[in-house]
Amino acid sequence: MDLSDFDRQHIWHPYTSMTDPLPTYTVESARGVRIRLSDGRELIDGMSSWWSVIHGYNHPALNEAVRGQLARVAHVMFGGFTHGPAVGLARRLVEMTPAPLDRVFFSDSGSVAVEVAIKMALQYWSATGRPGRRRLLTIRGGYHGDTLGAMSVCDPVSGMHSLFTGALPRQLFAPRPRTRFGQPLEAGDLDQLEQLLDQHQEEIAALILEPVVQGAGGMWFYSADWLAGAAQLCRAHDVLLIADEIASGFGRTGRLFACEHAGAVPDILCLGKALTGGYMSLGATLTTPRIAEGISGAGGVLMHGPTFMANPLATAVAERSMDLLLESPWQSRVRALQSQMELELARYRDHPLVADVRVLGGIGVVETTRTVPVARAQRALVEAGIWLRPFGSLIYMMPPYVIEAAELSRLTAGVGAALDTML
Ligand SMILES: *Cc1c(COP(=O)(O)O)cnc(C)c1O
C-alpha cells in the first residue's frame, strides 16, 4: 500500500470527509518556493502553507536555528523554567508591536492564542469588578480558529455554527464592514456595530476582529477608517479590542501589523502562522500592562499553561524568523508582489465567472460567481506546476515573500487554469 492509500483510509485532513476525502498529493521535500512531490513533479507555492512560510521552505538560517537549539534542549517545561529563545522572542515581539503591548503569553497555535486572548479579556473584567462582561462582539465573515471559544466568533454561516448549536457561547455579530480597503468610510457602515455596543455595553468583554484583512472567512479587505472608527467606539464604550493578526501579521498587508493601517492599538493582540516562518506551530498573545495588572491586581493568575508553552525549538526558530524578516527588504518585496498581482490578476476582471478581483499587500484574490470544484481545479493547478488551494468561491494566493517575478507570473496565470475547470 503506498502512502496516499494508507492516508486515505486512516488520516483526516483539514475539513474533509473520512469516507469521501479530497485527493492529496504526497510531498517529498521543499526548498525556497518549490514543493517537490514524490513522483518528481515540482510545484511553485502560492499559499505559503496557509500564510506561514514567508521566507520559503528549507531556509538555511531557520534550519540552523532549529539545529542549534536541538543540540541544547528540544523541550523543557515552562513552569518554573525560562530560557534564551523565549526571552529573545518576547523581547523582539515587544519591540515590533506598538506600545503599550509588552506582556507576552506563548501558546501552541493560533487558535489557542485566541482562546488565551478571550480568557485575558474575561479575567480582566471579573478581576476589576465587572463580572457581567462575559460576551464577545465580532463582525461577520471572520475566522479565528477551530477550538470552541474561537469558533464561537467565527462567521456563523461559513463557520457552521449550526453543527454546534447549544455547545458554543452565543456571541454578538455586527455586519461585515462594507467599505473596501483604501476607501473612506461609507456613511452608516459603523452604525450597527455602534448600536450593539450601546445596547449590550455592560455585557461585552471585548470586540474581536481581524484588522483590515478577513482571511479564511472570505478573504475580504475592509477600510482602515472602519477599523479606526471601531477602535474609537470600543474606547468610548470601555470595551476591550482584540486584534487577531494571526494571518495578517508580519508584513503580509504591507505593514508589519495590519492595525497600523488604521493607527489602532488593540488591548490584546494574537499572533501565529508566520511567527516561526512556518517551521512549527506557535502562538503568542500580547497585551498591555493595564490588562495584565488588572488580571493580577487582586492576586489573580492567568488561567492557562499549556504543556509545550514557549517550546524552545519553536521559540528559537521564531526568534530567527523575526530577525530574517526585519533584516530583509520585506516592504519593497511585498509592494512588488502587490503591484505585480494587481497588474496580472486584472485580466480576470471581465471573465464571465469572476465576481471580484482584489489585491492587498502580498494577498491576491479572485472571487468567482460560484463554488470552485476544488479537486478538479487542484488537479489542473498541479498539472500547471503550481500550488494554489481554492476554497468556496475563492481562488487566492499569498506566496512566500521571496518568490521571483517569473514564478509569481506562473501563479497568476494558473488562476486561468483553475477558472477553465469551471466552464
Ligand atoms: C489560522 C488562523 C487562526 C487559527 O490558527 P491555527 O494555528 O490554525 O490554530 C486564527 N485566526 C486567524 C485570523 C487565522 O488566520
Side-chain angles (χ1 to χ4, degrees), residues 253-277:
T253 69
R255 299 290 183 95
L256 205 45
F257 297 101
C259 278
E260 295 171 21
H261 289 285
V265 180
D267 299 286
I268 302 174
L269 174 68
C270 303
L271 301 174
K273 292 205 162 106
L275 179 57
T276 60

Side-chain angles (χ1 to χ4, degrees), residues 307-381:
T307 306
F308 289 97
M309 186 167 184
N311 171 260
L313 286 175
T315 45
V317 74
E319 197 182 355
R320 193 70 194 97
S321 168
M322 295 298 99
D323 288 347
L324 269 185
L325 176 67
L326 296 179
E327 289 158 8
S328 75
W330 63 268
Q331 292 98 327
S332 58
R333 279 182 180 158
V334 172
R335 223 178 297 122
L337 294 183
Q338 169 162 337
S339 14
Q340 192 181 342
M341 286 191 289
E342 274 168 354
L343 197 71
E344 295 180 3
L345 293 177
R347 77 174 87 123
Y348 301 113
R349 265 184 211 288
D350 298 324
H351 191 287
L353 288 170
V354 170
D356 189 36
V357 175
R358 45 188 182 265
V359 175
L360 173 58
I363 316 165
V365 181
V366 174
E367 186 170 342
T368 55
T369 54
R370 48 187 154 88
T371 305
V372 182
V374 177
R376 195 139 38 98
Q378 187 89 83
R379 198 175 331 115
L381 290 160

Side-chain angles (χ1 to χ4, degrees), residues 174-219:
R176 184 179 88 164
R178 208 170 51 235
T179 314
R180 297 177 77 105
F181 184 82
Q183 302 297 315
L185 188 64
E186 282 176 32
D189 204 11
L190 275 163
D191 288 2
Q192 293 195 56
L193 185 82
E194 186 167 14
Q195 276 165 24
L196 285 166
L197 282 164
D198 285 340
Q199 283 162 12
H200 299 276
Q201 176 162 6
E202 289 310 315
E203 289 171 69
I204 300 175
L207 168 65
I208 178 168
L209 46 71
E210 295 154 280
V212 173
V213 170
Q214 290 186 298
M219 303 297 293

Side-chain angles (χ1 to χ4, degrees), residues 51 109-111 114 143-145 210 244 246-247 273:
W51 313 88
S109 69
S111 300
V114 169
Y143 176 77
H144 297 283
E210 295 154 280
D244 178 350
I246 291 164
K273 292 205 162 106

